[in-house]
Amino acid sequence: MIPRKHKRGKRTMGILYYLYGPGKFEEHVDPHLVASWDHNNAPDPGRDDAATLKQLQQLLDQPVENVDQAERPKQHVWHLSVRNAPDDRILSEEEWGDVARRMVAAAGIDDPEEGAGCRWVAVRHADDHIHIVATVVREDGYKPDLNFDAHRVQDEARVLEDELGLRRLNTGDGTAAKRPTSAERHKAQRQGRERTAREELRETVRRAVAGAAGETEFFDRLATAGLLIRKRVAPSGDLLGYKAALPDDRNKDDEPVFYPGARLAPDLSLPRIRERWSSDHPAPAASPDTPVRATPDTPSSARRRTASVAWTAVTSVEHGDDGVAAAHIAATGEVLDALAKTSAAHTRRELRDAAFEFERASRSHIRAERGHDRALRQAARDLVHGGPALGRGEDGATTAMVIDMLVFLITAAMNWHAKKGHAQQAEAARRAAEHLRSAYQTAAAHPLGTLYQRGRRMGSLLIQRQTSALREALPELAEQILAEPGWYALAATLADAEAAGHDTASLLADAAGRRELGTADSAADVLVWRLRRTADLPADASDTAIDAHAAERSPHPAGQRTPGRSGHRRG
């Protein structure tokens, strides 16, 4: 149940015309009263032919007209809509009437136990919602106490959801981006847009922020994306803010509709964006698990580095201070935006939806301690500068690798939010993880299928050797992994690692020790990507790719590998 408080107005007749009219798109069906201040005895122009809108307006406005002009509120019309979720059952007339009475009591409009109240009516013109209109002067001439009325009706909605058996929605904390208005949604439908202009702008601006090094690069990206930009400049010449518009989103006067950054999302105002840049200190000492940049940025090399950084960030979210965890979660949003921006066509939709959902999870009232998230922000920058992935070969395989690591990171963010009581953020992270899992299935299908076929073709002695290494390293999980379809892909990976000179049992034990595997959908799949990343094996596991990769890494001609090499190299 979603109560939405609308802006206060001056004209009671104006809102009544709208509620009893056909709607902007003929969506209003059978408008009528379901409750009112006088126990349902108010005139109902929808069901009573003798009643008029003028009569109803005059009755609602009567307490306002009875006070001196100087004492009247400038905006005397209070308007609240209450809508059920799409999958909720249809409430009866009596139930909606009770909802209306409970809402006005919670808001402070009219509580019978408190004595004189304001006049109000509840109009239903669709199955799933009602509109409540009130005039904010009480019968005794005093003004109602409407402080925190929006919070109070939200609390009442949670109680009603339980009582009426409706979908339980999560209470917000004031950090969410502003929802599109109904007018914006209808405009998007007319224009054939999948999302409203506000949502498209928010997504585009977030992608422009992802990994940007400063204002120049940020605004260059916005221009490249085709947005119209207006900057707000102080008399001193200092840049104070910006607003953006889509070129084809125009008002009735054919002028572009501009949105300030802060109206797109709380963290997209220019001062909040600058916080990310101001904390970009020189890079800290590299973690042994973080690869050194040895080759020019390519989509696959950027994804491999991002996978390592994401894996390291899991620990910071799970065990770091709140400010550090919040910074890593915020920067994870940048990584998702950058990954969606550069993804191949077959994974683009799910990755874009994951980034769209996680946007809500990237903010809370816990202030992010910027600077700790530098590695993730650099990873987002690497993804953008690495360019679009074609989705084949190493591009596709490293995409699966980085998505696999990001699922763990976003799950850690979901658990962190849940522990802090951030219900909306935890739910948003859960939805983002679902989209990531779908993207992973698409991205991983070919590389894991290739590995599976190679594992099935391996000789029995080689399979037995990898089975022994698995049982030695992971005795508690070995039988589970051997029963998984992904075992053959893992066996092929272990064979590749052995051919590269690694001790496979040690490699397995180290990879498994970095995080529990019991909750993974497939422990074998997770180990495949961990091993291929930490052992610096090619993500695209075709025979040709492995041979080329080995030749590139080895200082010795083929067949002349230095004997006695053991241990493993960290990616």
Side-chain angles (χ1 to χ4, degrees), residues 207-214 217-218 220-221 293 295-303 305-306 338-339 341-342 377-389:
R207 288 187 179 184
V209 173
E217 183 176 8
F218 170 59
D220 284 348
R221 289 184 184 182
R293 193 174 313 182
T295 58
D297 273 328
T298 63
S300 58
S301 64
R303 278 159 171 71
R305 288 194 299 272
T306 300
L339 188 62
K341 180 178 181 179
T342 58
R377 294 201 66 250
Q378 181 62 51
R381 183 173 179 80
D382 289 346
L383 289 170
V384 172
H385 285 270

Side-chain angles (χ1 to χ4, degrees), residues 259-272:
Y259 293 83
R263 287 185 58 197
L264 297 177
D267 56 345
L268 292 183
S269 67
L270 189 57
R272 291 291 301 277

Side-chain angles (χ1 to χ4, degrees), residues 1-6 19 34 78-85 88 91 95-104 107 121-133 153-154 156-158 160-161 164 166 169:
M1 181 171 287
I2 306 171
R4 183 184 177 196
K5 182 184 172 186
H6 299 261
L19 296 182
V34 292
W78 185 89
H79 178 200
L80 180 79
S81 60
V82 186
R83 183 180 300 272
N84 277 350
D88 280 337
L91 301 185
E95 287 173 320
W96 273 124
D98 186 54
V99 168
R101 284 183 283 272
R102 298 269 293 270
M103 285 294 176
V104 294
V121 292
V123 178
R124 184 182 187 183
H125 54 211
D127 286 338
D128 63 348
H129 71 280
I130 59 171
H131 291 261
I132 304 172
V133 176
V153 297
Q154 288 289 346
E156 188 65 20
R158 304 292 83 78
L160 284 164
E161 286 163 354
L164 296 172
L166 305 176
L169 300 181

